[in-house]
């Protein structure tokens, strides 16, 4: 099998990806069951139960965030919730896709819903970076 030529960006990224994979940091330890600690260890939620737990969590978290910080935008609040969910899911491609949605909400919040000017530069820059990185990993995923 002949290897495809690797461009300069991939020559730099590939060793970093391999080092991250070898480190064992991306183990996917958190699951939906993280939101239901009363569940017996080893038991899994059905798809319907996951939907109920997920919807309940989103509605409750959104209501609490709006009550605590009514000045914040809805898309910014949704981005916090989706970032949490991206860490709670055990599927690496699911993690990446939810993190992409969360970054998109964050960018939308800062650039469209409630722009603050120069103070938006840091969060938008980080979220563009997160969106790019997570898109790369989602596209290269085998699962």
């Amino acid at each position: 099998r002949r290897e495809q030529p690797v461009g300069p960006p991939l020559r730099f990224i590939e060793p970093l990806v391999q080092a991250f994979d070898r480190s064992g940091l991306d183990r996917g330890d958190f699951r939906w069951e993280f939101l239901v600690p009363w569940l017996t260890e080893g038991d899994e939620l059905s798809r319907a139960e996951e939907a109920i737990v997920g919807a309940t969590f989103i509605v409750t978290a959104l209501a609490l965030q709006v009550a605590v910080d009514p000045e914040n935008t809805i898309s910014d609040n949704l981005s916090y919730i989706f970032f949490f969910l991206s860490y709670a899911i055990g599927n690496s491609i699911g993690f990446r896709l939810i993190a992409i949605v969360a970054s998109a909400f964050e960018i939308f919040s800062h650039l469209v819903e409630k722009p603050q000017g120069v103070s938006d530069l840091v969060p938008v820059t980080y979220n563009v970076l997160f969106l790019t990185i997570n898109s790369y990993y989602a596209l290269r995923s085998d699962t």
Side-chain angles (χ1 to χ4, degrees), residues 10-31:
L10 290 179
R11 282 191 198 130
F12 174 72
I13 292 172
E14 188 61 32
L16 294 175
V17 170
Q18 289 174 0
F20 183 77
D21 288 344
R22 284 191 307 271
S23 72
L25 294 174
D26 192 12
R27 296 180 309 202
D29 290 336
F30 294 108
R31 308 258 188 261

Side-chain angles (χ1 to χ4, degrees), residues 14-131:
E14 188 61 32
L16 294 175
V17 170
Q18 289 174 0
F20 183 77
D21 288 344
R22 284 191 307 271
S23 72
L25 294 174
D26 192 12
R27 296 180 309 202
D29 290 336
F30 294 108
R31 308 258 188 261
W32 279 102
E33 289 80 8
F34 180 73
L35 296 173
V36 287
W38 57 85
L39 191 68
T40 306
E41 190 171 335
D43 288 350
E44 292 188 17
L45 297 173
S46 69
R47 290 283 182 210
E49 291 169 329
E50 285 178 359
I52 292 167
V53 170
T56 302
F57 173 77
I58 290 169
V59 169
T60 303
L62 189 58
L64 287 171
Q65 286 174 215
V66 169
V68 171
D69 186 6
E71 297 298 314
N72 205 3
T73 64
I74 295 298
S75 60
D76 207 20
N77 287 328
L78 286 172
S79 76
Y80 298 144
I81 294 167
F82 276 81
F83 276 123
F84 173 82
L85 291 175
S86 73
Y87 292 110
I89 193 166
N91 176 321
S92 63
I93 189 69
F95 163 80
R96 302 292 179 192
L97 294 175
I98 293 173
I100 288 167
V101 170
S103 289
F105 274 132
E106 189 82 11
I107 292 166
F108 181 82
S109 173
H110 285 277
L111 293 181
V112 177
E113 241 181 352
K114 200 172 184 180
Q116 301 291 319
V118 175
S119 65
D120 289 323
L121 186 60
V122 171
V124 168
T125 301
Y126 272 108
N127 279 289
V128 167
L129 180 65
F130 297 153
L131 199 136

